[in-house]
Amino acid sequence: MAISLDSALAKLEREIDGLLTDHRSRLDELQKQVDAIDAQVQRGAIPPPAGAASDWSKRFVDAFQADRKTFESGGRLRFTLPHPALETRTVTRPSTLPSAPSPRIGAAEATPAGALLELIPTLAIDQPAAYVLREDSSSGWQAGMQAETSPKVESTADFVGTLVPVRTLATWVTVSRQALDDLAGLGDFVRARLEWALARKLEEQILSGSGSGENLYGLMVAASTWTAPSGVAYDLFGQLAYAAAAIEQRGYGAPTAVMHPNDALRVQLQRDQNGQYVGTPAGVPRIVRSAAQGSGEFLVGDFSQCVLRVRQGVTIDISGDHADYFAKNLVAIRAEQRVALVIYAPAAFIKGTLATSPA
């Protein structure tokens, strides 16, 4: 017997209603799990995600609701956490990368981004490169006090246009599927260490990237070299203070020094002739430690004069399709990031070599 069009449509509507009811039920269950985790975070039972705002769970549920069909068909969902643009994630099915509050393995909850990355503003970019007008050192900014009808003093602005390409940082590691399934917290730990590896390489590139090949154009390459003015005796504090003063004299502000952790301690643990520790004198800029900085070197600058353009934030992908991993129950976990470092004013940065008494 032929089925009428109305009957077919009614059947289809019932099937759709059934699917929507099933999805709502699953989302309600997910919301309950997220609420339970939030409650533990509020009580301090587990640490909050590094850099995440208090509404991170709502953002996850909203993303799940928006892309649930993609999640069901492909097992992956990508969304962006609020801090900063570097914090993009790829979330896989819970059975693939388990997350548990206890036991913690290593420092899985620690943020991989160092203090250097916190200094630099971030801005999204949707192009493979950024066109930048960079201020040349020959610019001359000046003003004068003049009568109403007299010619005014002219400033000269010299800009050089350059194209800054987006570069890719990536790393991956192999882990057995059994280990991920059986050992609570291992997935979080592996992910955190991969993110740390990316952050460390990014700091190295921000500081010392050569600009050639696939490297970023780093601040230590762009910066001018500090030389001691004649006729003044300097100590370790003096180097940093006079470099900061030079930055301010060029029209930039809030200089910060980036040093290797051992060198930062060397400055901060200075003693007087009686062997007593001395406090940091006025004029010495704030010191930020970075293990990516070369030992015995320093960089002083106004970090508002550069920006990290982020094409793709830190993205975690998991797959068992690599080589013979499917047969061996292995999974590959990859972390990847795409960024460009834009330096607007190289004159806002000064580099130097640490010495006890520079000439």
Side-chain angles (χ1 to χ4, degrees):
M1 183 175 65
I3 300 176
S4 68
L5 179 60
D6 290 342
S7 297
L9 289 176
K11 181 181 179 182
L12 181 59
E13 288 177 355
R14 287 194 298 270
E15 292 178 354
I16 292 174
D17 288 340
L19 289 174
L20 289 176
T21 300
D22 180 60
H23 278 303
R24 291 190 188 99
S25 176
R26 299 184 66 180
L27 287 172
D28 288 342
E29 180 61 29
L30 177 62
Q31 182 65 65
K32 291 178 182 177
Q33 296 178 25
V34 171
D35 289 341
I37 294 174
D38 275 344
Q40 293 183 66
V41 171
Q42 294 297 325
R43 295 196 309 267
I46 60 174
S54 59
D55 64 342
W56 71 273
S57 58
K58 181 178 183 301
R59 294 173 63 87
F60 176 78
V61 173
D62 291 343
F64 190 94
Q65 291 173 327
D67 292 329
R68 58 178 178 267
K69 291 183 179 179
T70 302
F71 180 79
E72 287 300 316
S73 62
R76 290 180 179 169
L77 171 65
R78 178 168 296 174
F79 67 100
T80 303
L81 292 176
H83 170 76
L86 306 177
E87 289 280 349
T88 302
R89 297 281 196 275
T90 295
V91 178
T92 61
R93 294 184 188 275
S95 60
T96 305
L97 187 59
S99 175
S102 179
R104 305 302 299 180
I105 302 175
E109 72 277 5
T111 174
L116 173 61
L117 298 182
E118 296 294 333
L119 287 176
I120 302 174
T122 59
L123 184 65
I125 182 175
D126 58 1
Q127 301 295 326
Y131 183 76
V132 181
L133 288 176
R134 182 173 294 157
E135 184 180 5
D136 191 73
S137 59
S138 60
S139 293
W141 301 92
Q142 54 187 335
M145 306 298 295
Q146 294 168 288
E148 183 175 349
T149 58
S150 65
K152 307 303 184 284
V153 175
E154 180 183 3
S155 292
T156 58
D158 193 357
F159 295 98
V160 178
T162 183
L163 198 64
V164 180
V166 172
R167 300 302 189 189
T168 301
L169 303 90
T171 184
W172 67 287
V173 68
T174 298
V175 182
S176 73
R177 189 179 298 275
Q178 291 92 334
L180 286 179
D181 289 339
D182 299 338
L183 190 54
L186 179 61
D188 283 341
F189 173 71
V190 170
R191 186 187 70 186
R193 296 303 284 170
L194 287 176
E195 293 178 25
W196 175 86
L198 280 186
R200 173 64 181 270
K201 175 54 67 174
L202 181 56
E203 286 197 356
E204 290 178 359
Q205 287 287 302
I206 288 174
L207 287 171
S208 304
S210 65
S212 62
E214 297 303 315
N215 295 287
L216 300 179
Y217 182 63
L219 295 172
M220 291 288 286
V221 178
S224 58
T225 301
W226 179 78
T227 55
S230 60
V232 180
Y234 292 92
D235 55 18
L236 208 51
F237 287 130
Q239 276 190 287
L240 300 176
Y242 272 92
I247 296 294
E248 294 173 346
Q249 291 172 41
R250 294 176 181 180
Y252 305 102
T256 300
V258 178
M259 305 173 67
H260 188 276
N262 290 341
D263 294 324
L265 283 175
R266 178 183 165 196
V267 172
Q268 293 165 345
L269 298 181
Q270 285 288 291
R271 299 171 182 259
D272 60 22
Q273 59 184 0
N274 298 319
Q276 301 296 316
Y277 291 114
V278 298
T280 303
V284 175
R286 179 169 71 100
I287 296 176
V288 167
R289 304 182 185 190
S290 174
Q293 178 63 289
S295 179
E297 299 177 327
F298 69 86
L299 174 71
V300 175
D302 177 359
F303 285 84
S304 69
Q305 299 304 312
C306 65
V307 64
L308 194 66
R309 302 299 303 270
V310 181
R311 178 71 186 271
Q312 175 186 315
V314 177
T315 302
I316 306 294
D317 287 301
I318 301 175
S319 175
D321 298 333
H322 176 68
D324 57 353
Y325 279 20
F326 176 79
K328 293 183 176 180
N329 266 353
L330 299 174
V331 293
I333 306 178
R334 183 185 66 209
E336 189 171 273
Q337 184 177 8
R338 299 184 65 200
V339 299
L341 179 65
V342 174
I343 305 172
Y344 295 114
F349 300 92
I350 293 178
K351 62 184 175 183
T353 301
L354 291 169
T356 302
S357 298

Coordinates of all heavy atoms in Angstrom, one line a residue, residues 284-315:
V284 N 66.7 50.9 37.6 CA 66.9 49.6 37.0 C 65.5 49.0 36.6 O 64.6 49.0 37.4 CB 67.5 48.6 38.0 CG1 67.6 47.2 37.5 CG2 68.9 49.1 38.4
P285 N 65.4 48.6 35.3 CA 64.1 48.1 34.9 C 63.6 46.8 35.5 O 64.5 46.1 36.1 CB 64.3 48.0 33.4 CG 65.7 47.7 33.2 CD 66.4 48.5 34.3
R286 N 62.4 46.5 35.4 CA 61.9 45.2 35.8 C 62.5 44.1 35.0 O 62.7 44.2 33.8 CB 60.4 45.2 35.6 CG 59.7 43.8 36.1 CD 58.2 44.0 36.1 NE 57.6 44.0 34.8 CZ 57.1 43.0 34.1 NH1 57.0 41.8 34.7 NH2 56.6 43.2 32.9
I287 N 62.9 43.1 35.7 CA 63.6 42.0 35.1 C 62.7 40.8 34.9 O 62.0 40.4 35.8 CB 64.9 41.5 35.9 CG1 65.9 42.7 36.0 CG2 65.5 40.3 35.3 CD1 67.1 42.4 36.8
V288 N 62.6 40.3 33.7 CA 61.8 39.1 33.4 C 62.8 38.0 33.0 O 63.6 38.2 32.2 CB 60.8 39.4 32.2 CG1 60.2 38.1 31.7 CG2 59.7 40.3 32.7
R289 N 62.6 36.8 33.6 CA 63.4 35.7 33.3 C 62.9 34.9 32.1 O 61.7 34.7 32.0 CB 63.5 34.8 34.5 CG 64.0 35.5 35.8 CD 64.1 34.5 36.9 NE 64.4 35.1 38.2 CZ 64.7 34.5 39.3 NH1 64.7 33.2 39.3 NH2 65.0 35.2 40.4
S290 N 63.9 34.4 31.3 CA 63.5 33.5 30.2 C 64.7 32.6 29.9 O 65.8 33.1 29.7 CB 63.2 34.3 28.9 OG 63.0 33.4 27.8
A291 N 64.4 31.3 30.1 CA 65.5 30.3 29.8 C 65.9 30.3 28.3 O 66.9 29.8 28.0 CB 65.0 28.9 30.2
A292 N 65.1 31.0 27.5 CA 65.4 31.0 26.0 C 66.4 32.1 25.8 O 67.0 32.2 24.7 CB 64.1 31.3 25.2
Q293 N 66.7 33.1 26.7 CA 67.7 34.1 26.5 C 69.0 33.5 26.7 O 69.3 32.7 27.5 CB 67.4 35.2 27.5 CG 68.4 36.4 27.5 CD 68.4 37.1 26.2 OE1 68.8 36.6 25.1 NE2 67.9 38.3 26.2
G294 N 70.0 34.0 25.9 CA 71.3 33.5 25.9 C 72.0 33.9 27.2 O 71.8 35.0 27.8
S295 N 72.8 33.0 27.8 CA 73.5 33.3 29.0 C 74.5 34.4 28.8 O 75.2 34.5 27.8 CB 74.2 32.0 29.5 OG 74.9 32.3 30.7
G296 N 74.5 35.4 29.7 CA 75.4 36.5 29.6 C 74.9 37.7 28.7 O 75.6 38.6 28.5
E297 N 73.7 37.6 28.3 CA 73.1 38.6 27.4 C 71.9 39.2 28.0 O 71.2 38.6 28.9 CB 72.7 38.0 26.0 CG 73.9 37.4 25.3 CD 73.5 36.8 23.9 OE1 72.4 36.3 23.9 OE2 74.3 36.9 23.0
F298 N 71.5 40.4 27.6 CA 70.3 41.0 28.1 C 69.6 41.7 26.9 O 70.2 42.1 25.9 CB 70.5 42.0 29.3 CG 71.3 43.2 28.9 CD1 70.6 44.3 28.4 CD2 72.6 43.3 29.0 CE1 71.3 45.5 28.1 CE2 73.3 44.5 28.7 CZ 72.6 45.6 28.2
L299 N 68.3 41.9 27.1 CA 67.5 42.7 26.1 C 66.6 43.6 27.0 O 65.9 43.2 27.9 CB 66.6 41.8 25.3 CG 65.6 42.5 24.3 CD1 66.4 43.2 23.2 CD2 64.6 41.6 23.8
V300 N 66.7 44.9 26.7 CA 65.9 45.9 27.4 C 65.0 46.6 26.3 O 65.5 47.0 25.3 CB 66.7 47.0 28.1 CG1 65.9 48.0 28.7 CG2 67.6 46.3 29.2
G301 N 63.7 46.7 26.6 CA 62.9 47.3 25.6 C 61.5 47.7 26.0 O 61.1 47.3 27.1
D302 N 60.8 48.4 25.2 CA 59.4 48.7 25.4 C 58.6 47.7 24.5 O 58.5 47.8 23.3 CB 59.1 50.1 24.9 CG 57.7 50.5 25.0 OD1 56.8 49.6 25.4 OD2 57.3 51.6 24.7
F303 N 58.1 46.7 25.2 CA 57.5 45.5 24.4 C 56.1 45.9 23.9 O 55.5 45.0 23.2 CB 57.4 44.3 25.4 CG 58.8 43.7 25.6 CD1 59.6 44.2 26.5 CD2 59.2 42.6 24.8 CE1 60.9 43.6 26.7 CE2 60.4 42.0 24.9 CZ 61.3 42.5 25.9
S304 N 55.6 47.1 24.1 CA 54.4 47.5 23.4 C 54.7 47.8 22.0 O 53.7 48.0 21.2 CB 53.8 48.7 24.1 OG 54.6 49.9 23.9
Q305 N 55.9 47.9 21.6 CA 56.3 48.2 20.2 C 56.5 47.0 19.3 O 57.1 47.0 18.3 CB 57.6 49.0 20.2 CG 57.5 50.4 20.9 CD 56.4 51.2 20.3 OE1 56.2 51.4 19.1 NE2 55.5 51.8 21.2
C306 N 56.0 45.8 19.8 CA 55.9 44.6 19.0 C 54.6 43.9 19.3 O 53.9 44.2 20.3 CB 57.1 43.7 19.2 SG 57.2 43.0 20.9
V307 N 54.2 43.1 18.4 CA 52.9 42.3 18.6 C 53.1 40.9 18.0 O 53.7 40.8 17.0 CB 51.7 43.1 18.0 CG1 51.9 43.2 16.5 CG2 50.4 42.4 18.4
L308 N 52.5 40.0 18.7 CA 52.5 38.6 18.1 C 51.1 38.4 17.4 O 50.1 38.4 18.0 CB 52.6 37.6 19.3 CG 52.9 36.2 18.9 CD1 54.3 36.1 18.3 CD2 52.8 35.2 20.1
R309 N 51.2 38.3 16.1 CA 50.0 38.0 15.3 C 49.8 36.5 15.2 O 50.6 35.7 14.8 CB 50.2 38.6 13.8 CG 50.5 40.0 13.8 CD 49.4 40.9 14.3 NE 48.1 40.7 13.7 CZ 47.7 41.4 12.6 NH1 48.5 42.3 12.1 NH2 46.5 41.1 12.1
V310 N 48.6 36.1 15.6 CA 48.3 34.7 15.8 C 47.3 34.2 14.7 O 46.2 34.7 14.7 CB 47.7 34.4 17.2 CG1 47.4 32.9 17.3 CG2 48.7 34.8 18.3
R311 N 47.8 33.4 13.8 CA 47.0 32.8 12.8 C 46.3 31.5 13.3 O 45.1 31.3 13.0 CB 47.8 32.5 11.5 CG 47.0 31.8 10.4 CD 46.1 32.8 9.7 NE 45.2 32.1 8.7 CZ 45.5 32.0 7.4 NH1 46.7 32.4 7.0 NH2 44.7 31.4 6.6
Q312 N 47.0 30.8 14.1 CA 46.4 29.5 14.7 C 47.0 29.4 16.1 O 48.2 29.4 16.2 CB 46.7 28.3 13.8 CG 46.3 27.0 14.5 CD 46.8 25.8 13.7 OE1 46.7 25.8 12.4 NE2 47.3 24.8 14.3
G313 N 46.2 29.3 17.1 CA 46.7 29.2 18.4 C 47.1 27.8 18.7 O 47.2 26.9 17.8
V314 N 47.6 27.5 19.9 CA 48.0 26.1 20.2 C 46.9 25.1 20.0 O 45.9 25.2 20.6 CB 48.5 26.1 21.7 CG1 48.9 24.7 22.1 CG2 49.7 27.0 21.9
T315 N 47.1 24.2 19.1 CA 46.1 23.2 18.7 C 46.7 21.8 19.0 O 47.8 21.5 18.6 CB 45.8 23.4 17.2 OG1 45.4 24.7 17.0 CG2 44.7 22.4 16.8

